């Protein structure tokens, strides 16, 4: 694995999942592996879980970390090739990536979708430019189209709470006042392709995810039918993909409520956080013992640690 930009970069998904479980049992088992090495964390967008869990994962492996809120603290970066830099962007990614590579042995980056230019978002300009011009591995801490560290943590959580039977897992769209990206829904869908489960996505009309990502997955606009007998309910908002970046529906009919959870097979509730209470899911769902949201955030440590360990071992 040269870089970790999507789940597809993992040479072995199942082995990575097993490794994450081993690391959870004994987080400091390989605490000398990163000795003398540095992980740089560059944030173009805010974070709570990703920032702290990735730092914790690095500490567990003996790595030093350098953190920078790139969008606030650094020079504004230019990503276009051959452009005359007469505007507000002071530094080209060609120099920035090469410079950071001299200070860090791996660079983790968070750079959300613009939600205004689908073509540019899908080209993953920020992560792909760093991967092109850096001389060290790049790690995705949520990009325009993917959040693979979250998906890996969600896989750990589903495995930990595995049912005696093949589980039914539902990914349900939920309302949100802001237009949100597709990254979590995309990576969760890709991750479910590796799991032995019956997987179904439910969303209102107009909210289909990228059809290339959901190819072969059962999809319904009947949320209540989808929830029937579910063992895991993963909830997430995303904006329209076809009407890119737009909010088509804001009412609370799609909010996950205790009544809707009664349709499930005593189902567990999952969300990547942060979550808007009583908009995405009701208090009664989040405060129920069936909510796994806090466990999911703990597993962010071990998903990051499993990826960092493999990159370190690659040298
Ligand atoms: N789930 C997640 O990525 O959380 P943060 O945005 O707080 O990092």
């Amino acid at each position: 694995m040269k870089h970790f930009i999507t789940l597809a970069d993992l040479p072995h998904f199942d082995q990575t999942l097993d490794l994450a479980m081993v690391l959870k049992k004994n987080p400091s088992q390989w605490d000398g592996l990163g000795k003398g090495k540095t992980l740089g964390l560059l944030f173009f967008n805010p974070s709570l879980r990703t920032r702290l869990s990735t730092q914790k994962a690095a500490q567990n492996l003996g790595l030093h970390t350098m953190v920078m809120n790139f969008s606030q603290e650094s020079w504004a970066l230019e990503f276009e090739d051959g452009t005359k830099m007469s505007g507000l962007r002071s530094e080209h990614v060609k120099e920035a990536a090469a410079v950071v590579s001299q200070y860090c042995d791996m660079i983790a980056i968070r750079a959300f979708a613009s939600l205004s230019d689908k073509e540019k978002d899908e080209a993953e300009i920020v992560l792909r430019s760093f991967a092109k011009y850096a001389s060290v591995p790049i790690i995705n801490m949520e990009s325009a189209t993917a959040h693979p560290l979250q998906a890996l943590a969600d896989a750990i959580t589903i495995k930990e709470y595995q049912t005696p039977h093949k589980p039914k897992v539902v990914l349900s769209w939920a309302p949100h006042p802001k237009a949100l990206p597709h990254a979590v829904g995309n990576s969760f869908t890709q991750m479910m392709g590796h799991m032995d489960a019956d997987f179904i996505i439910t969303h209102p009309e107009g909210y289909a995810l990228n059809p290339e990502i959901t190819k072969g997955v059962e999809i319904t606009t009947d949320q209540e039918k989808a929830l029937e007998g579910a063992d895991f309910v993963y909830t997430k908002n995303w904006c329209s993909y076809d009407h890119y970046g737009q909010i088509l529906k804001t009412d609370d009919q799609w909010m996950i409520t205790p009544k809707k959870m009664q349709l499930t097979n005593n189902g567990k509730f999952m969300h990547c956080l942060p979550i808007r209470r009583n908009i995405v899911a009701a208090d009664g769902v989040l405060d129920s013992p069936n909510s796994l949201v806090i466990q999911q955030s703990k597993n962010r440590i071990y998903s990051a640690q499993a990826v960092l360990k493999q990159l370190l071992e690659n040298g």
Side-chain angles (χ1 to χ4, degrees):
M1 175 168 52
K2 191 172 171 198
H3 302 291
F4 179 70
I5 294 179
T6 73
L7 284 176
D9 290 321
L10 290 175
H12 306 288
F13 178 86
D14 289 343
Q15 284 176 24
T16 304
L17 197 50
D18 291 343
L19 171 62
M21 308 290 264
V22 168
L23 289 164
K24 187 166 185 178
K25 282 201 186 96
N26 188 358
S28 55
Q29 192 173 343
W30 287 280
D31 61 359
L33 193 62
K35 191 169 186 285
K37 297 202 167 167
T38 300
L39 170 67
L41 296 104
L42 311 184
F43 286 90
F44 290 84
N45 304 96
S47 169
L48 190 163
R49 281 144 290 275
T50 304
R51 176 169 173 166
L52 297 183
S53 64
T54 309
Q55 281 190 273
K56 180 76 180 167
Q59 280 173 18
N60 287 345
L61 292 166
L63 278 160
H64 294 287
T65 55
M66 286 180 177
V67 186
M68 191 163 200
N69 284 319
F70 223 79
S71 54
Q72 289 157 15
E73 296 167 353
S74 185
W75 304 110
L77 290 189
E78 177 60 61
F79 291 92
E80 297 283 340
D81 270 344
T83 194
K84 185 173 176 181
M85 289 172 56
S86 56
L88 295 173
R89 296 172 188 268
S90 309
E91 177 152 32
H92 202 281
V93 66
K94 283 186 184 181
E95 283 78 43
V99 167
V100 179
S101 300
Q102 298 177 113
Y103 310 146
C104 301
D105 301 278
M106 296 183 276
I107 305 172
I109 301 173
R110 165 164 283 201
F112 288 172
S114 68
L115 298 181
S116 58
D117 187 330
K118 188 194 253 185
E119 204 175 316
K120 274 193 177 164
D121 284 348
E122 294 200 325
E124 295 283 15
I125 302 286
V126 178
L127 264 83
R128 295 289 172 195
S129 298
F130 269 90
K132 186 172 175 186
Y133 297 118
S135 54
V136 298
I138 299 300
I139 298 160
N140 186 345
M141 294 195 296
E142 188 172 345
S143 64
T145 65
H147 197 357
L149 288 175
Q150 179 67 52
L152 196 50
D154 297 335
I156 300 168
T157 312
I158 290 172
K159 199 167 171 176
E160 281 178 329
Y161 288 86
Q162 67 189 5
T163 49
H165 55 273
K166 188 177 180 179
K168 178 178 178 182
V169 181
V170 179
L171 170 62
S172 177
W173 182 93
H176 198 281
K178 282 174 67 182
L180 298 187
H182 307 95
V184 170
N186 287 346
S187 289
F188 188 80
T189 301
Q190 286 165 331
M191 176 276 284
M192 285 307 303
H194 295 275
M195 306 291 273
D196 185 23
D198 292 322
F199 178 52
I200 180 166
I201 300 175
T202 183
H203 59 71
E205 294 287 351
Y207 278 98
L209 289 164
N210 181 347
E212 280 178 33
I213 290 173
T214 57
K215 202 170 170 184
V217 176
E218 188 182 345
I219 300 170
T220 176
T221 54
D222 187 338
Q223 187 193 40
E224 295 201 352
K225 189 147 179 46
L227 293 175
E228 279 171 15
D231 298 293
F232 296 91
V233 178
Y234 198 101
T235 309
K236 185 72 184 82
N237 170 270
W238 56 84
C239 64
S240 175
Y241 179 76
D242 288 338
H243 302 278
Y244 194 63
Q246 289 183 28
I247 296 176
L248 308 178
K249 195 172 180 73
T250 51
D251 63 56
D252 63 6
Q253 282 167 22
W254 278 73
M255 179 170 77
I256 301 293
T257 60
K259 196 170 166 211
K260 284 185 188 170
M261 290 303 286
Q262 280 174 9
L263 298 168
T264 69
N265 180 28
N266 194 26
K268 304 289 186 201
F269 175 80
M270 300 178 73
H271 189 281
C272 60
L273 302 182
I275 189 165
R276 293 204 182 213
R277 281 174 171 259
N278 304 310
I279 296 217
V280 174
D283 282 337
V285 174
L286 280 161
D287 296 332
S288 135
N290 279 20
S291 172
L292 299 182
V293 297
I294 305 302
Q295 290 88 328
Q296 284 174 260
S297 64
K298 180 164 187 179
N299 286 333
R300 290 294 307 274
I301 302 170
Y302 311 108
S303 69
Q305 203 173 331
V307 169
L308 292 172
K309 179 177 179 288
Q310 290 178 75
L311 288 169
L312 282 168
E313 285 170 340
N314 284 353

